[in-house]
Amino acid sequence: MNPEEREELALLLPSPGEPVLADDRHDVLKDHLMRELTAPRRASPRRRFAVIAVPVAAAVVIAAVVVGTKGSGTATTDPEAVDLLNRIAAVAATRKAVSVRDDQYLYVRTEGFMKFSDQDVRTLRESSWTAVDGKRLGLRRITVLNGPPFRPRDPFSSYSRGTHEMRLNPDPNVTTFRELEALPTDPDALLRKIYGDTKDDRGQALERIGDLLADATLLPELDAALYRAAAKVPGVSVVANAEDYAGRSGVGLAFKGSEGREVWVFGKADLTYLGSGTEALLDVGVADKAGVTPPG
């Protein structure tokens, strides 16, 4: 959220002496908030959960902002991490590619969280259907596992306990599956492109790679190239025992991202990507219709 947007949102909030928002201001605030919650933070194939803080007394919304962490000369290359990334790449390359039509939808199911305050951290399971060609409406279905029940006129009612759906409009800032297919599969060329997109920032380059990992599981050559590209970025280390957000255990690869330490988690037996410490990847597939789960 830039300063202008923050000022605009502040104007929509009541003064300390006003106990209730007028109906029209309430609706504007809710619309603005929902745009903030669903707006992509980086050009990625799918939107990540936004982390927000909502002080209850003031009802002031603070959206997570991606801040660059320019790489310094202190980052080193860990041979153990390089070896693990190359082994993960070798396994990824053996998986079968999936044939996808333009009229289909990329299906991704995850588990993550949204923070409204230190005492209010809600666990969410999200299923999203994104048009393969990026030209049609998609769908996001969110199940909030814990949190307050639905309350009328609550600006956060879309994140009350239960299941909620919202449509996904075509977004030029979100990488489509077809654009993903067009990325180079040579690790050096891929890394040059990623560094170009992230202004040579190591942490953001690794975050960018992480954003692509879920969808890339359907594209073995690209999937392998992403891990081989990550192996060329200093600052990654191995975590012998790590857990994704859903509590599944595995081996981890840690690095310093723009919002602190991030850990990718992989199954110890098959090196399957499980997600991260803040978001678990539960399923990826291709669906014929939005809202329909692909066959297992």
Side-chain angles (χ1 to χ4, degrees):
M1 187 185 299
N2 60 39
E4 290 78 15
E5 290 175 319
R6 192 173 289 115
E7 182 178 354
E8 175 189 348
L9 183 56
L11 291 173
L12 298 173
L13 294 172
S15 66
E18 295 177 19
V20 181
L21 283 171
D23 284 352
D24 57 344
R25 295 179 68 200
H26 180 284
D27 291 339
V28 172
L29 172 58
K30 181 177 178 180
D31 289 344
H32 189 103
L33 172 63
M34 292 310 298
R35 286 197 302 272
E36 281 297 319
L37 293 178
T38 59
R41 298 299 166 195
R42 289 189 293 274
S44 62
R46 58 191 178 88
R47 296 170 176 82
R48 299 175 62 191
F49 288 108
V51 180
I52 64 170
V54 185
V56 175
V60 176
V61 179
I62 304 174
V65 178
V66 173
V67 180
T69 54
K70 198 73 173 178
S72 68
T74 59
T76 59
T77 299
D78 182 342
E80 187 180 5
V82 172
D83 176 68
L84 177 57
L85 280 162
N86 284 322
R87 285 193 288 122
I88 292 170
V91 172
T94 65
R95 297 193 178 102
K96 185 178 179 181
V98 177
S99 178
V100 181
R101 304 189 312 269
D102 278 349
D103 64 335
Q104 291 180 305
Y105 294 83
L106 184 66
Y107 170 78
V108 178
R109 184 167 179 257
T110 58
E111 181 173 318
F113 71 95
M114 186 168 286
K115 181 177 180 180
F116 287 79
S117 71
D118 289 341
Q119 293 75 38
D120 186 1
V121 180
R122 305 179 195 181
T123 298
L124 301 90
R125 286 186 183 151
E126 174 184 321
S127 296
S128 64
W129 290 262
T130 307
V132 168
D133 61 5
K135 298 178 181 178
R136 288 163 292 116
L137 288 174
L139 177 70
R140 175 180 291 162
R141 180 179 294 153
I142 297 175
T143 298
V144 183
L145 301 182
N146 62 295
F150 175 83
R151 294 186 293 249
R153 310 308 299 166
D154 178 2
F156 310 111
S157 60
S158 293
Y159 290 91
S160 59
R161 188 171 61 248
T163 299
H164 313 274
E165 291 189 351
M166 62 186 74
R167 68 180 185 180
L168 293 177
N169 293 310
D171 189 337
N173 295 315
V174 175
T175 306
T176 68
F177 188 78
R178 290 298 181 228
E179 290 169 336
L180 198 68
E181 286 180 314
L183 289 174
T185 55
D186 174 78
D188 292 316
L190 181 59
L191 187 57
R192 282 195 298 271
K193 176 170 177 52
I194 291 170
Y195 269 140
D197 290 343
T198 57
K199 299 181 180 178
D200 296 325
D201 186 295
R202 283 193 291 262
Q204 289 191 23
L206 289 165
E207 288 177 336
R208 173 64 171 153
I209 290 172
D211 284 342
L212 300 172
L213 293 180
D215 298 3
T217 58
L218 303 177
L219 300 167
E221 287 188 37
L222 176 63
D223 201 22
L226 287 167
Y227 293 119
R228 292 188 175 115
K232 298 175 181 291
V233 181
V236 183
S237 60
V238 174
V239 180
N241 296 292
E243 284 190 354
D244 69 4
Y245 188 76
R248 297 175 298 181
S249 61
V251 59
L253 287 163
F255 62 92
K256 183 180 180 181
S258 60
E259 297 172 22
R261 184 173 183 259
E262 294 201 21
V263 182
W264 299 338
V265 185
F266 302 84
K268 289 186 177 181
D270 59 6
L271 298 181
T272 297
Y273 177 62
L274 300 179
S276 70
T278 56
E279 182 178 272
L281 177 63
L282 304 180
D283 195 12
V284 181
V286 180
D288 290 333
K289 295 182 179 179
V292 176
T293 303

Coordinates of all heavy atoms in Angstrom, one line a residue, residues 119-187:
Q119 N -3.6 -11.8 18.8 CA -4.5 -12.8 19.4 C -5.5 -13.4 18.3 O -6.2 -14.3 18.6 CB -5.4 -12.1 20.5 CG -4.6 -11.7 21.7 CD -3.8 -10.5 21.5 OE1 -4.2 -9.6 20.8 NE2 -2.6 -10.5 22.1
D120 N -5.4 -12.9 17.1 CA -6.4 -13.3 16.1 C -5.6 -13.7 14.8 O -5.4 -12.9 13.9 CB -7.4 -12.2 15.8 CG -8.5 -12.6 14.8 OD1 -8.5 -13.8 14.4 OD2 -9.3 -11.8 14.5
V121 N -5.1 -14.9 14.7 CA -4.4 -15.5 13.6 C -5.3 -16.6 13.0 O -5.5 -17.6 13.7 CB -3.0 -16.0 13.9 CG1 -2.3 -16.5 12.7 CG2 -2.2 -14.9 14.6
R122 N -5.8 -16.4 11.8 CA -6.8 -17.3 11.3 C -6.1 -18.3 10.3 O -5.4 -17.8 9.4 CB -8.0 -16.6 10.6 CG -8.6 -15.6 11.6 CD -9.7 -14.8 11.0 NE -10.1 -13.7 11.9 CZ -11.0 -12.8 11.6 NH1 -11.8 -13.0 10.5 NH2 -11.3 -11.8 12.4
T123 N -6.4 -19.6 10.4 CA -5.9 -20.5 9.5 C -6.9 -20.7 8.3 O -8.1 -20.8 8.5 CB -5.7 -21.9 10.1 OG1 -4.7 -21.8 11.2 CG2 -5.2 -23.0 9.1
L124 N -6.3 -20.6 7.1 CA -7.2 -20.7 5.9 C -6.8 -21.8 5.0 O -5.6 -22.0 4.7 CB -7.2 -19.3 5.1 CG -7.6 -18.1 5.8 CD1 -6.4 -17.4 6.5 CD2 -8.1 -17.1 4.8
R125 N -7.7 -22.5 4.4 CA -7.5 -23.4 3.3 C -8.1 -22.8 2.0 O -9.3 -22.5 2.0 CB -8.1 -24.8 3.6 CG -7.3 -25.6 4.6 CD -7.7 -27.0 4.8 NE -7.0 -27.6 5.8 CZ -7.4 -28.6 6.6 NH1 -8.7 -29.0 6.4 NH2 -6.7 -29.1 7.5
E126 N -7.2 -22.6 1.1 CA -7.7 -21.9 -0.1 C -7.6 -22.8 -1.4 O -6.5 -23.5 -1.6 CB -6.8 -20.7 -0.4 CG -7.1 -20.0 -1.7 CD -6.2 -18.8 -1.9 OE1 -5.9 -18.0 -1.0 OE2 -5.8 -18.6 -3.1
S127 N -8.6 -22.8 -2.2 CA -8.6 -23.5 -3.5 C -8.8 -22.4 -4.5 O -9.7 -21.6 -4.4 CB -9.7 -24.5 -3.6 OG -9.5 -25.6 -2.7
S128 N -7.9 -22.4 -5.5 CA -8.1 -21.3 -6.6 C -8.1 -22.0 -7.9 O -7.4 -23.0 -8.2 CB -6.9 -20.3 -6.5 OG -5.7 -20.9 -6.7
W129 N -8.9 -21.5 -8.8 CA -9.0 -21.9 -10.2 C -8.7 -20.7 -11.1 O -9.4 -19.7 -11.1 CB -10.4 -22.4 -10.5 CG -10.8 -23.7 -9.9 CD1 -10.7 -24.9 -10.4 CD2 -11.3 -23.9 -8.5 NE1 -11.2 -25.9 -9.5 CE2 -11.5 -25.3 -8.4 CE3 -11.6 -23.0 -7.5 CZ2 -12.1 -25.8 -7.2 CZ3 -12.1 -23.5 -6.3 CH2 -12.3 -24.9 -6.2
T130 N -7.5 -20.7 -11.8 CA -7.1 -19.6 -12.6 C -7.1 -20.0 -14.0 O -6.5 -21.1 -14.4 CB -5.7 -19.2 -12.2 OG1 -5.6 -18.9 -10.8 CG2 -5.2 -17.9 -12.9
A131 N -7.7 -19.2 -14.9 CA -7.8 -19.6 -16.3 C -6.4 -19.8 -16.9 O -5.5 -18.9 -16.7 CB -8.5 -18.5 -17.1
V132 N -6.2 -20.8 -17.6 CA -4.9 -21.2 -18.2 C -4.4 -20.0 -19.1 O -3.2 -19.7 -19.1 CB -4.9 -22.5 -19.0 CG1 -3.7 -22.7 -19.8 CG2 -5.1 -23.7 -18.0
D133 N -5.3 -19.5 -19.9 CA -4.9 -18.4 -20.8 C -4.9 -17.0 -20.2 O -4.6 -16.0 -20.8 CB -5.7 -18.4 -22.1 CG -7.2 -18.2 -21.8 OD1 -7.6 -18.0 -20.6 OD2 -8.0 -18.3 -22.8
G134 N -5.4 -17.0 -18.9 CA -5.5 -15.7 -18.2 C -6.5 -14.7 -18.7 O -6.5 -13.5 -18.4
K135 N -7.5 -15.2 -19.6 CA -8.4 -14.3 -20.2 C -9.9 -14.4 -19.7 O -10.8 -13.7 -20.1 CB -8.4 -14.5 -21.7 CG -7.1 -14.2 -22.4 CD -7.1 -14.5 -23.8 CE -5.8 -14.2 -24.5 NZ -5.8 -14.5 -25.9
R136 N -10.1 -15.4 -18.8 CA -11.4 -15.6 -18.3 C -11.5 -15.5 -16.7 O -10.4 -15.6 -16.1 CB -11.9 -17.0 -18.7 CG -12.2 -17.1 -20.2 CD -12.2 -18.6 -20.6 NE -10.9 -19.2 -20.6 CZ -10.6 -20.3 -19.8 NH1 -11.5 -20.8 -19.0 NH2 -9.4 -20.8 -19.9
L137 N -12.7 -15.4 -16.2 CA -12.9 -15.3 -14.8 C -12.4 -16.6 -14.1 O -12.7 -17.7 -14.6 CB -14.3 -15.0 -14.4 CG -14.9 -13.6 -14.7 CD1 -16.4 -13.6 -14.4 CD2 -14.1 -12.6 -13.8
G138 N -11.8 -16.5 -13.0 CA -11.4 -17.7 -12.2 C -12.2 -17.6 -10.9 O -13.2 -16.9 -10.7
L139 N -11.8 -18.5 -9.9 CA -12.6 -18.6 -8.7 C -11.6 -18.8 -7.5 O -10.6 -19.6 -7.7 CB -13.6 -19.7 -8.8 CG -14.4 -20.0 -7.5 CD1 -15.4 -18.9 -7.2 CD2 -15.1 -21.4 -7.6
R140 N -11.9 -18.2 -6.4 CA -11.1 -18.5 -5.2 C -12.1 -18.9 -4.1 O -13.1 -18.3 -3.9 CB -10.3 -17.3 -4.7 CG -9.6 -17.5 -3.3 CD -8.9 -16.3 -2.9 NE -7.8 -16.0 -3.8 CZ -7.1 -14.9 -3.9 NH1 -7.6 -13.8 -3.2 NH2 -6.1 -14.7 -4.7
R141 N -11.9 -20.1 -3.5 CA -12.7 -20.6 -2.4 C -11.9 -20.7 -1.2 O -10.9 -21.5 -1.1 CB -13.3 -22.0 -2.8 CG -14.2 -22.6 -1.7 CD -14.7 -23.9 -2.2 NE -15.6 -23.7 -3.4 CZ -15.8 -24.7 -4.3 NH1 -15.1 -25.8 -4.3 NH2 -16.6 -24.4 -5.4
I142 N -12.2 -20.0 -0.1 CA -11.5 -19.9 1.1 C -12.3 -20.5 2.2 O -13.4 -20.1 2.5 CB -11.0 -18.5 1.4 CG1 -10.1 -18.0 0.4 CG2 -10.3 -18.4 2.8 CD1 -9.7 -16.5 0.5
T143 N -11.7 -21.5 3.0 CA -12.4 -22.0 4.2 C -11.5 -21.5 5.4 O -10.4 -21.8 5.5 CB -12.4 -23.5 4.2 OG1 -13.2 -23.9 3.1 CG2 -13.0 -24.0 5.4
V144 N -12.2 -20.7 6.2 CA -11.5 -20.2 7.4 C -11.8 -21.2 8.5 O -12.9 -21.4 8.9 CB -12.1 -18.8 7.8 CG1 -11.3 -18.2 9.0 CG2 -11.9 -17.8 6.6
L145 N -10.7 -21.8 9.0 CA -10.9 -22.9 10.0 C -11.1 -22.4 11.4 O -11.7 -23.1 12.2 CB -9.7 -23.8 10.0 CG -9.3 -24.4 8.6 CD1 -8.1 -25.3 8.8 CD2 -10.5 -25.2 8.1
N146 N -10.6 -21.2 11.8 CA -10.9 -20.6 13.1 C -11.1 -19.1 13.0 O -10.6 -18.5 12.0 CB -9.7 -20.9 14.0 CG -8.4 -20.3 13.5 OD1 -7.9 -20.7 12.4 ND2 -7.8 -19.3 14.2
G147 N -11.8 -18.6 13.9 CA -12.1 -17.1 13.8 C -13.5 -16.9 14.2 O -14.3 -17.8 14.5
P148 N -13.9 -15.6 14.2 CA -15.3 -15.3 14.7 C -16.3 -15.7 13.6 O -16.0 -15.8 12.4 CB -15.3 -13.7 14.8 CG -14.2 -13.3 13.8 CD -13.2 -14.4 13.9
P149 N -17.6 -16.0 14.1 CA -18.6 -16.3 13.1 C -19.0 -15.1 12.3 O -18.6 -13.9 12.6 CB -19.8 -16.7 14.0 CG -19.5 -16.0 15.3 CD -18.1 -15.9 15.5
F150 N -19.8 -15.3 11.2 CA -20.2 -14.2 10.4 C -21.0 -13.2 11.2 O -21.9 -13.6 12.0 CB -21.1 -14.7 9.2 CG -21.7 -13.7 8.4 CD1 -20.9 -13.1 7.4 CD2 -23.0 -13.2 8.6 CE1 -21.5 -12.1 6.6 CE2 -23.5 -12.2 7.8 CZ -22.8 -11.6 6.8
R151 N -20.7 -11.9 11.0 CA -21.5 -10.8 11.7 C -21.9 -9.8 10.6 O -21.0 -9.4 9.8 CB -20.6 -10.2 12.8 CG -20.3 -11.0 14.0 CD -19.6 -10.2 15.0 NE -18.3 -9.8 14.6 CZ -17.1 -10.3 15.1 NH1 -17.2 -11.2 16.0 NH2 -16.0 -9.8 14.6
P152 N -23.2 -9.4 10.6 CA -23.6 -8.4 9.6 C -22.8 -7.1 9.8 O -22.5 -6.7 10.9 CB -25.1 -8.2 9.9 CG -25.5 -9.5 10.6 CD -24.3 -9.9 11.4
R153 N -22.5 -6.5 8.7 CA -21.8 -5.2 8.6 C -20.3 -5.3 9.1 O -19.7 -4.3 9.3 CB -22.5 -4.1 9.4 CG -24.0 -4.0 9.2 CD -24.3 -3.8 7.7 NE -23.6 -2.6 7.1 CZ -23.5 -2.4 5.8 NH1 -23.9 -3.3 4.9 NH2 -22.9 -1.3 5.4
D154 N -19.8 -6.5 9.2 CA -18.4 -6.7 9.6 C -17.6 -6.6 8.3 O -17.8 -7.3 7.4 CB -18.2 -8.1 10.2 CG -16.8 -8.4 10.5 OD1 -15.9 -7.5 10.4 OD2 -16.5 -9.5 11.0
P155 N -16.7 -5.6 8.2 CA -15.9 -5.4 7.0 C -15.0 -6.6 6.7 O -14.5 -6.8 5.6 CB -15.1 -4.2 7.3 CG -15.0 -4.0 8.8 CD -16.3 -4.6 9.3
F156 N -14.8 -7.5 7.7 CA -13.9 -8.7 7.5 C -14.8 -9.9 7.4 O -14.3 -11.0 7.7 CB -12.9 -8.8 8.7 CG -12.2 -7.5 8.9 CD1 -12.4 -6.8 10.1 CD2 -11.3 -7.0 8.0 CE1 -11.7 -5.6 10.3 CE2 -10.6 -5.9 8.2 CZ -10.8 -5.2 9.4
S157 N -16.1 -9.8 7.1 CA -16.9 -10.9 7.1 C -16.5 -12.0 6.1 O -16.8 -13.2 6.2 CB -18.4 -10.5 6.7 OG -18.4 -9.9 5.5
S158 N -15.8 -11.6 5.0 CA -15.3 -12.6 4.0 C -14.2 -13.5 4.6 O -13.8 -14.5 4.0 CB -14.8 -11.9 2.8 OG -15.8 -11.2 2.1
Y159 N -13.7 -13.1 5.8 CA -12.8 -14.0 6.5 C -13.3 -14.4 7.8 O -12.5 -14.7 8.8 CB -11.4 -13.2 6.6 CG -10.8 -13.1 5.3 CD1 -11.0 -11.9 4.5 CD2 -10.0 -14.1 4.7 CE1 -10.5 -11.8 3.2 CE2 -9.4 -13.9 3.5 CZ -9.6 -12.8 2.7 OH -9.1 -12.7 1.5
S160 N -14.6 -14.5 8.0 CA -15.2 -15.1 9.2 C -15.1 -16.6 9.1 O -14.9 -17.1 8.0 CB -16.7 -14.6 9.3 OG -17.4 -15.0 8.2
R161 N -15.4 -17.3 10.1 CA -15.3 -18.8 10.1 C -16.3 -19.3 9.1 O -17.4 -18.9 9.0 CB -15.6 -19.3 11.5 CG -15.3 -20.8 11.7 CD -15.4 -21.3 13.1 NE -16.7 -21.0 13.7 CZ -17.0 -20.2 14.7 NH1 -16.0 -19.4 15.1 NH2 -18.2 -20.0 15.1
G162 N -15.8 -20.3 8.3 CA -16.7 -20.9 7.3 C -16.0 -20.8 5.9 O -14.9 -20.5 5.8
T163 N -16.8 -21.1 4.9 CA -16.3 -21.1 3.5 C -16.9 -19.9 2.7 O -18.1 -19.6 2.8 CB -16.7 -22.4 2.8 OG1 -16.1 -23.5 3.5 CG2 -16.2 -22.4 1.4
H164 N -16.0 -19.3 2.0 CA -16.4 -18.1 1.2 C -15.8 -18.2 -0.2 O -14.8 -18.8 -0.4 CB -15.9 -16.8 1.9 CG -16.1 -16.7 3.4 ND1 -17.3 -16.3 3.9 CD2 -15.3 -17.1 4.4 CE1 -17.2 -16.3 5.2 NE2 -16.0 -16.9 5.6
E165 N -16.5 -17.7 -1.2 CA -16.0 -17.7 -2.5 C -16.0 -16.3 -3.1 O -16.8 -15.4 -2.7 CB -17.0 -18.5 -3.4 CG -16.9 -20.0 -3.1 CD -17.7 -20.9 -4.1 OE1 -18.4 -20.3 -5.0 OE2 -17.5 -22.1 -4.1
M166 N -15.0 -16.0 -3.9 CA -14.9 -14.8 -4.7 C -14.3 -15.1 -6.0 O -13.6 -16.0 -6.2 CB -14.0 -13.8 -3.9 CG -12.6 -14.2 -3.7 SD -11.6 -13.1 -2.7 CE -12.3 -13.5 -1.1
R167 N -14.8 -14.3 -7.0 CA -14.3 -14.5 -8.4 C -12.9 -13.9 -8.5 O -12.6 -12.9 -7.9 CB -15.3 -13.9 -9.4 CG -15.4 -12.4 -9.4 CD -16.4 -12.0 -10.4 NE -16.5 -10.5 -10.5 CZ -17.3 -9.9 -11.4 NH1 -18.1 -10.6 -12.1 NH2 -17.2 -8.6 -11.4
L168 N -12.2 -14.4 -9.4 CA -10.8 -13.9 -9.8 C -10.9 -13.3 -11.2 O -11.1 -14.0 -12.1 CB -9.8 -15.0 -9.8 CG -9.5 -15.7 -8.4 CD1 -8.5 -16.8 -8.5 CD2 -8.9 -14.6 -7.4
N169 N -10.7 -12.0 -11.2 CA -10.7 -11.3 -12.5 C -9.4 -11.5 -13.2 O -8.4 -11.7 -12.6 CB -11.0 -9.8 -12.3 CG -12.4 -9.5 -11.9 OD1 -13.4 -10.1 -12.4 ND2 -12.5 -8.7 -10.8
P170 N -9.4 -11.5 -14.6 CA -8.1 -11.6 -15.3 C -7.2 -10.4 -14.8 O -7.7 -9.3 -14.7 CB -8.5 -11.4 -16.7 CG -9.9 -11.9 -16.8 CD -10.5 -11.5 -15.5
D171 N -6.0 -10.8 -14.5 CA -5.0 -9.8 -13.9 C -3.7 -9.8 -14.7 O -3.0 -10.8 -14.7 CB -4.8 -10.1 -12.5 CG -4.0 -9.1 -11.7 OD1 -3.3 -8.3 -12.4 OD2 -4.1 -9.0 -10.5
P172 N -3.4 -8.7 -15.3 CA -2.1 -8.6 -16.1 C -0.9 -8.7 -15.3 O 0.2 -9.0 -15.8 CB -2.2 -7.2 -16.8 CG -3.1 -6.4 -15.9 CD -4.1 -7.4 -15.4
N173 N -1.0 -8.6 -13.9 CA 0.1 -8.7 -13.1 C 0.4 -10.1 -12.5 O 1.3 -10.3 -11.8 CB 0.0 -7.7 -11.9 CG -0.1 -6.3 -12.3 OD1 0.8 -5.8 -13.1 ND2 -1.0 -5.5 -11.8
V174 N -0.5 -11.0 -12.9 CA -0.3 -12.4 -12.5 C 0.1 -13.2 -13.6 O -0.5 -13.2 -14.7 CB -1.6 -12.9 -11.9 CG1 -1.5 -14.4 -11.5 CG2 -2.0 -12.1 -10.6
T175 N 1.2 -14.0 -13.4 CA 1.7 -14.8 -14.5 C 0.7 -15.9 -14.9 O 0.3 -16.7 -14.0 CB 3.1 -15.5 -14.1 OG1 4.0 -14.5 -13.7 CG2 3.7 -16.3 -15.2
T176 N 0.4 -16.0 -16.1 CA -0.5 -17.1 -16.6 C 0.3 -18.4 -16.8 O 1.5 -18.4 -16.8 CB -1.2 -16.8 -17.9 OG1 -0.2 -16.7 -18.9 CG2 -1.9 -15.4 -17.8
F177 N -0.4 -19.5 -16.9 CA 0.2 -20.8 -17.1 C 1.0 -20.8 -18.4 O 2.1 -21.3 -18.6 CB -0.8 -21.9 -17.0 CG -0.1 -23.3 -17.1 CD1 0.4 -23.8 -16.0 CD2 -0.1 -24.0 -18.3 CE1 1.0 -25.1 -16.0 CE2 0.5 -25.3 -18.3 CZ 1.0 -25.8 -17.2
R178 N 0.4 -20.1 -19.4 CA 1.0 -20.1 -20.7 C 2.3 -19.2 -20.7 O 3.3 -19.6 -21.3 CB 0.1 -19.4 -21.8 CG -1.1 -20.3 -22.1 CD -0.6 -21.6 -22.8 NE -1.7 -22.5 -23.2 CZ -1.8 -23.8 -22.9 NH1 -0.8 -24.4 -22.2 NH2 -2.8 -24.5 -23.3
E179 N 2.3 -18.2 -19.9 CA 3.5 -17.4 -19.7 C 4.6 -18.2 -18.9 O 5.8 -18.1 -19.1 CB 3.2 -16.1 -18.9 CG 2.4 -15.1 -19.8 CD 1.9 -13.9 -19.0 OE1 1.7 -14.1 -17.8 OE2 1.6 -12.9 -19.6
L180 N 4.1 -19.0 -18.0 CA 5.0 -19.9 -17.2 C 5.7 -20.9 -18.2 O 6.9 -21.1 -18.1 CB 4.2 -20.6 -16.2 CG 5.0 -21.3 -15.0 CD1 5.6 -20.2 -14.1 CD2 4.1 -22.2 -14.2
E181 N 4.9 -21.4 -19.1 CA 5.5 -22.4 -20.1 C 6.6 -21.7 -20.9 O 7.5 -22.4 -21.4 CB 4.4 -22.9 -21.0 CG 3.4 -23.9 -20.4 CD 2.4 -24.3 -21.4 OE1 1.8 -23.5 -22.1 OE2 2.2 -25.6 -21.4
A182 N 6.5 -20.4 -21.2 CA 7.4 -19.7 -22.0 C 8.7 -19.3 -21.3 O 9.6 -18.9 -22.0 CB 6.7 -18.5 -22.6
L183 N 8.8 -19.5 -20.0 CA 10.1 -19.2 -19.3 C 11.2 -20.1 -19.8 O 11.0 -21.3 -20.1 CB 9.9 -19.3 -17.8 CG 9.0 -18.3 -17.2 CD1 8.8 -18.6 -15.7 CD2 9.6 -16.9 -17.3
P184 N 12.4 -19.6 -19.8 CA 13.6 -20.5 -20.2 C 13.8 -21.6 -19.3 O 13.6 -21.5 -18.0 CB 14.7 -19.5 -20.2 CG 14.3 -18.4 -19.3 CD 12.8 -18.2 -19.5
T185 N 14.2 -22.7 -19.8 CA 14.5 -23.9 -18.9 C 16.0 -24.1 -18.8 O 16.4 -25.1 -18.1 CB 13.8 -25.2 -19.5 OG1 14.2 -25.4 -20.9 CG2 12.3 -25.1 -19.5
D186 N 16.8 -23.2 -19.4 CA 18.2 -23.2 -19.1 C 18.4 -22.5 -17.7 O 18.0 -21.3 -17.6 CB 19.0 -22.5 -20.2 CG 20.5 -22.4 -19.8 OD1 21.2 -23.4 -19.9 OD2 20.8 -21.3 -19.4
P187 N 19.0 -23.1 -16.7 CA 19.1 -22.5 -15.4 C 19.7 -21.1 -15.4 O 19.3 -20.2 -14.7 CB 19.9 -23.5 -14.6 CG 19.7 -24.8 -15.3 CD 19.5 -24.5 -16.7

